Amino acid sequence: MVEISEQPEVTLQDFVIPAKIEAFCEKYKPLGHWREDCDMFTDYQLRSYFKAVVCPLGDPLALYLQELAVRGFKMKDDECGEPVIYAALR
């Protein structure tokens, strides 16, 4: 008799923490362009904020960026040609 234990399949979504998205959205409001009073989030800064580390299943930052875009935080090319998200403190 062989017993097969079913383990839930791990997906990239398992590496996304919705509470971190909520916290970001509660602290910042999206901006469409740079202003003196705004923060600029690069790929590196977003990866650090969300602790989004590339894993064998893919890059969880892609899922964070999708969810942020739905909430108005869209990546724009800055003057240096690097995509960034512009946001201001609420």
Side-chain angles (χ1 to χ4, degrees):
M1 178 180 222
V2 176
E3 188 175 312
I4 300 174
S5 64
E6 288 189 31
Q7 292 183 355
E9 182 179 332
V10 177
T11 67
L12 190 57
Q13 188 66 44
D14 294 325
F15 293 89
V16 175
I17 302 169
K20 287 186 178 185
I21 296 168
E22 290 298 325
F24 185 89
C25 294
E26 287 175 8
K27 184 173 182 176
Y28 294 100
K29 62 183 174 184
L31 297 176
H33 60 296
W34 185 84
R35 302 188 326 202
E36 276 193 37
D37 65 338
C38 80
D39 290 323
M40 188 171 66
F41 291 91
T42 64
D43 179 84
Y44 174 79
Q45 290 165 314
L46 291 165
R47 194 172 295 286
S48 295
Y49 185 94
F50 293 110
K51 306 292 187 259
V53 179
V54 177
C55 66
L57 296 173
D59 188 352
L61 184 58
L63 298 179
Y64 279 107
L65 291 175
Q66 285 176 358
E67 185 59 34
L68 289 173
V70 168
R71 297 167 184 239
F73 295 91
K74 300 187 191 242
M75 291 202 99
K76 311 271 185 194
D77 281 338
D78 74 349
E79 296 170 1
C80 298
E82 181 177 4
V84 297
I85 288 178
Y86 296 113
L89 290 172
R90 291 196 180 268

